[in-house]
Amino acid sequence: MSESITLIVGGSGAAGQSAIQAFKEHSSKTGQKWKIYSTTSGESQVEGSDITIPHIKLEEPEEAVSNIQKFLNKENANIDVLIYTPARGNLGYPVSETPDQDIIDTAKFCLDPMLDLEKKINPRITVGYSAYYYLPHLLTFYGSLAFIKKKMEEWAVQKPDSRKIIRAGTFFSQSVRGITIILQRLAKSSPHPDLQKLMEEQKSSGKKFGDFFIDYIQQKENESFGKNFPSIPYRITEPKDLKIALLKILEGEKSPIVSLVGDWIWTEDKLPEMPDYLKIR
């Protein structure tokens, strides 16, 4: 069996590491050989990757894509599967009040490089990562990221044979820790009623904000999806669950969206119901 090549943009993070594990497990299960290229913004080798592409800074998206393309051309590497994990944007305010400029700025890091890479390196499959941005508890504070995740899902549904999304529940990561810190800081002085209510709930719980926030997310996820899985108890999502979702895609999943929360996993071929303000931007 010939060797296939994957490029993981953001290989050091939780999602990137789960993807590396998925390719290794797929190789051991099927005999399909995978050569793993991973990008990093620094210069350290990405754990588990065969080849690291260093100094890829997505803050300058055009330069980052150009540098990736030059590296791959020098290696004569034709990418079979592109994995795009980066997620960073303006948040800490209700999605309904997202300024247009925040959407543009967030897309430059989280979406535009993926679209550019897909066009320029023409992989067989491109995989992006989404979240439950449309649920009420995330609409309270998810800001510009909600619009970017929605745009990613629209992109995948347009060409389900070559585009896939892993929509995952909240899991412990550097990103989530960062969101928690930002949200705690902004919510204290926020005029938004929903955020004020969140802070009131936190105070009455007697818990530190970080502990309260994780418990709050788990409660809301269970309320949203638990009824669909009455025989499987809720648990918070872990990076290993993202690996399982990617394995499902590598094994030939036809649907464009693989959704998961802990042990719950299902597929979707259209976007969920969402507020009108999310649909029109």
Side-chain angles (χ1 to χ4, degrees), residues 141-153:
F141 61 83
Y142 210 50
S144 61
L145 276 173
F147 290 92
I148 300 307
K149 299 303 185 185
K150 189 262 295 187
K151 290 176 184 293
M152 290 176 73
E153 293 185 2

Side-chain angles (χ1 to χ4, degrees), residues 8 11-13 16-18 20-21 24 36 38 40 44-50 52:
I8 301 172
S12 297
Q17 284 293 299
S18 76
I20 289 172
Q21 292 166 12
K24 291 181 180 296
I36 302 172
S38 296
T40 180
S44 299
Q45 294 296 300
V46 175
E47 184 179 352
S49 182
D50 295 306
T52 297

Side-chain angles (χ1 to χ4, degrees), residues 108-238:
K108 287 179 181 178
F109 188 89
C110 299
L111 177 64
D112 295 347
M114 181 183 74
L115 303 184
D116 201 10
L117 282 167
E118 180 194 36
K119 182 179 179 180
K120 289 178 175 174
I121 67 178
N122 193 31
R124 178 176 61 87
I125 296 175
T126 302
V127 182
Y129 290 76
S130 187
Y132 295 95
Y133 59 90
Y134 56 87
L135 293 178
H137 69 283
L138 287 186
L139 290 172
T140 301
F141 61 83
Y142 210 50
S144 61
L145 276 173
F147 290 92
I148 300 307
K149 299 303 185 185
K150 189 262 295 187
K151 290 176 184 293
M152 290 176 73
E153 293 185 2
E154 289 174 332
W155 160 87
V157 169
Q158 288 169 2
K159 291 186 178 181
D161 289 343
S162 62
R163 298 170 176 173
K164 306 293 181 183
I165 290 292
I166 295 174
R167 187 198 284 148
T170 300
F171 58 94
F172 295 110
S173 67
Q174 287 296 113
S175 295
V176 170
R177 281 189 280 271
I179 288 171
T180 304
I181 293 168
I182 292 169
L183 184 58
Q184 183 179 16
R185 184 175 70 245
L186 295 177
K188 286 180 179 179
S189 57
S190 173
H192 303 301
D194 288 341
L195 287 174
Q196 289 177 350
K197 183 181 177 182
L198 186 66
M199 292 305 295
E200 289 170 4
E201 288 183 32
Q202 182 257 321
K203 288 177 182 176
S204 64
S205 73
K207 299 176 182 175
K208 293 181 179 179
F209 188 84
D211 296 333
F212 162 80
F213 183 68
I214 291 297
D215 289 347
Y216 172 79
I217 291 293
Q218 292 185 79
Q219 175 192 340
K220 296 301 182 182
E221 288 182 343
N222 198 5
E223 289 174 358
S224 299
F225 302 114
K227 57 185 177 293
N228 300 327
F229 301 91
S231 62
I232 306 174
Y234 171 85
R235 68 168 173 81
I236 195 165
T237 306
E238 300 174 15

Side-chain angles (χ1 to χ4, degrees), residues 133 153 157 167 255-257 259 267-273:
Y133 59 90
E153 293 185 2
V157 169
R167 187 198 284 148
S255 299
I257 301 172
S259 294
T267 60
E268 300 179 52
D269 57 11
K270 58 182 181 296
L271 268 64
E273 288 298 315

